Amino acid sequence: ADNFLIRGTPYNRGSILKMLLASGVQEVGDPTQCHAVAIDARAPKFDGGIITRHDSVVFGIVVNNRALRFYDEGEDIWPKRYAIWGRLVAAQPDQIAYIIFDASSRNSFMPTLFPPIEAGSIGGLASKCDLDPNALEKTVADFNAAVRPGTFDANILDDCRTEGLTPPKTHWARRIETPPYYAYPVRPGITFTYLGTRVNKQARMVMKDGKPAANMFAAGEIMAGNVLGQGYAAGVGMTIGSVFGRIAGREAAQHARN
């Protein structure tokens, strides 16, 4: 994880979670799963903010540093898929990838802090990204040849797709052929993992013996593994914090009064 970027503070190192688990609180969640997004590779190590997150994946293709595609960029609507791209990039060589698109998509998504790398040709773009020009030209040419006609609509699962290409792009596939060409270098940006403390319906922490803690409650990311298994949909983290925060606050106040 040397190339991971951390979306939050450098001071949140999981020490509270470690202490709770070591003190007998029951753990929950898959430690291999996490909320991780594609962050601009030029962003700072910590606290880059949402302005370093890239939402342009569905408008182009994503390649690794071998200039090869590795996942379906149009698998599902973006709010249901943006939080898997950090993990996907993390599995690539040197944990870096490049979002490639052309002038037709330049103004189709929320701009980020860093401008895209720009070139007048695919080969020129590859050189600026330290990619093999021949390899990227082939990847783009193969992709373009596989694109089938359709009616492009970024707001629905449209019928713009590839055929005979592995991996496919099942929606929003358009030929990359209008210069100038652009690239964003991205790395994994981790928000939180799904490992946390188990709680009951009253947001009270559950101990390893299965009994609820006498006076410990949890809400938010530290107990998100009670809800999240795999995948993520936009806003779920804030919903977990809001709902269980209200429950935990109410129950803690009632405990204090008693």
Side-chain angles (χ1 to χ4, degrees), residues 120-215:
S121 67
I122 294 297
L125 187 66
S127 296
K128 288 187 174 183
C129 296
D130 292 326
L131 300 173
D132 182 330
N134 292 330
L136 185 60
E137 286 173 349
K138 183 180 187 307
T139 293
V140 172
D142 289 348
F143 174 78
N144 286 346
V147 172
R148 294 296 172 261
T151 302
F152 181 83
D153 188 339
N155 298 308
I156 63 171
L157 296 175
D158 69 10
D159 59 352
C160 295
R161 60 182 178 84
T162 61
E163 189 174 287
L165 189 68
T166 303
K169 185 172 183 181
T170 48
H171 304 285
W172 312 299
R174 293 188 294 181
R175 293 168 62 90
I176 300 172
E177 59 184 1
T178 306
Y181 301 97
Y182 300 98
Y184 282 119
V186 292
R187 290 199 182 278
I190 189 164
T191 314
F192 60 92
T193 72
Y194 292 176
L195 178 67
T197 60
R198 185 177 294 279
V199 299
N200 62 15
K201 292 181 180 180
Q202 289 73 44
R204 195 183 293 265
M205 293 189 203
V206 177
M207 307 305 289
K208 289 180 180 177
D209 61 5
K211 297 178 181 179
N215 60 351

Side-chain angles (χ1 to χ4, degrees), residues 89-110:
V89 173
Q92 298 307 304
D94 299 323
Q95 297 180 324
I96 192 166
Y98 300 84
I99 304 168
I100 309 294
F101 57 100
D102 68 10
S104 67
S105 299
R106 180 68 176 87
N107 298 314
S108 299
F109 49 86
M110 182 174 66

Side-chain angles (χ1 to χ4, degrees), residues 6-28:
I6 312 302
R7 301 186 74 199
T9 171
Y11 306 109
N12 183 356
R13 307 184 66 85
S15 56
I16 299 299
L17 177 59
K18 290 179 182 178
M19 179 186 69
L20 289 169
L21 298 182
S23 299
V25 175
Q26 192 176 144
E27 70 176 52
V28 69

